[in-house]
Amino acid sequence: MFVAIIGIILLVIGTMVKRSPEPGSRFGGIIRLVGIAVVALGLLFSVFKVIEPGKVGVQVLFGKVQDNVLESGLHIINPVVDVVPFNVQTQNYTMSAVHSEGEVQGDDAIRVLSSDGLEVTIDLSVLYKVSPFKAPFIMQNIGLDYVDKIVRTVARTAIRDNAVNYAAVDLYSIKRQEFQDKINRTISLSFAKRGLELQQILIRNISLPASVKASIESKINAEQEAQKMQFVLQKERQEADRKRVEAQGIADYQKILSTGLSDKQLQYETIKAQKEIALSPNTKVIIIGNGKSNPIMLTDK
């Protein structure tokens, strides 16, 4: 539309020059023709509007926001309508204590008070997007700076309002996921009322005071030592049980030997053992006898 305005200005100048005395009036017609051509080109460019992928166009006619949005692609529109692009892709807003990591330079982490009165520092990332057909509502009621007005403000408020219900140690450990789910629901409802879609809340880091960290580390070390001692005691009990079973087996074996073997069985086992010794390549001479019969001599010679 800016080009068409330039063309109109040229038309006015050409008309004025045309009415001026010679010799300047001779150029008035040329200037008017150029002005007409520029106006035509400007209107042509203003009629056709291309919306980039991942964006929608909000139409504004003389300050009034139109309800219908232009989706990505080529559109033919009223040349006097101003089209404001809105990004409808997933966007990330990070608040971090690391100076170059968040959207705001410097330490932008959220500092909150827990239920036990301790200050906890939270790094947070908000994944969100603009609802495509809510873009005119955002344009009319919030404006283009909806990130600072809504995303940042709502997220930080939700963190503070919910953190006061948890102890610092619980936020750091066992109730971290519960806390994240709760603020996710709170922010999601608030965003939906304002034309935004919350996709995910990511609690990136929770920092506790140094004294609390030391207490937690001491507790964890004590628990690890206790678990180690339980393992050692269990191992010793298992070893004692094994020795007890082994001793019982030996006792049962000896009892069987003392009550179940006859003299003839013992004599037979003795002869078997002496025969095996006699067949050994290291055996020279073996004399067998029990004092009641003639001895038998076995030799490898």
Side-chain angles (χ1 to χ4, degrees), residues 274 278 284-289 294-301:
Q274 291 174 343
K284 300 304 180 182
V285 177
I286 298 178
I287 299 175
I288 303 175
N294 294 327
I296 302 173
M297 184 176 68
L298 303 176
T299 179
D300 61 344
K301 301 298 183 180

Side-chain angles (χ1 to χ4, degrees), residues 158-159 162 179-187 201 203:
I159 290 288
N162 287 281
F179 173 64
Q180 180 168 310
D181 293 340
K182 185 173 290 188
I183 62 174
N184 189 83
R185 290 192 296 270
T186 302
I187 296 175
I201 287 290
I203 296 179

Side-chain angles (χ1 to χ4, degrees), residues 1-11 35 38-39:
M1 193 61 189
F2 177 75
V3 176
I5 294 173
I6 296 296
I8 293 173
I9 294 173
L10 289 175
L11 277 174
V38 172
V39 170

Side-chain angles (χ1 to χ4, degrees), residues 99-120:
H99 285 243
S100 59
E101 202 171 47
E103 302 302 315
V104 177
Q105 294 297 313
D107 186 353
D108 193 38
I110 306 170
R111 287 169 173 78
V112 299
L113 288 178
S114 61
S115 62
D116 47 0
L118 296 175
E119 185 180 75
V120 179

Side-chain angles (χ1 to χ4, degrees), residues 10 55 62 112 128 136 156 160 165 167 172 188 215 235 261:
L10 289 175
K55 295 183 179 180
F62 301 125
V112 299
Y128 70 97
R156 296 178 77 91
R160 292 191 176 99
N165 299 318
Y172 185 78
S188 180
S215 176
K235 185 177 180 181
L261 294 178

Side-chain angles (χ1 to χ4, degrees), residues 133-168:
F133 298 103
K134 291 287 187 179
F137 172 84
I138 296 174
M139 182 69 183
Q140 179 69 41
N141 297 278
I142 301 171
L144 297 177
D145 55 346
Y146 59 87
V147 174
D148 288 332
K149 287 183 178 178
I150 303 301
V151 177
R152 177 181 175 84
T153 304
V154 169
R156 296 178 77 91
T157 301
I159 290 288
R160 292 191 176 99
D161 289 347
N162 287 281
V164 296
N165 299 318
Y166 296 90

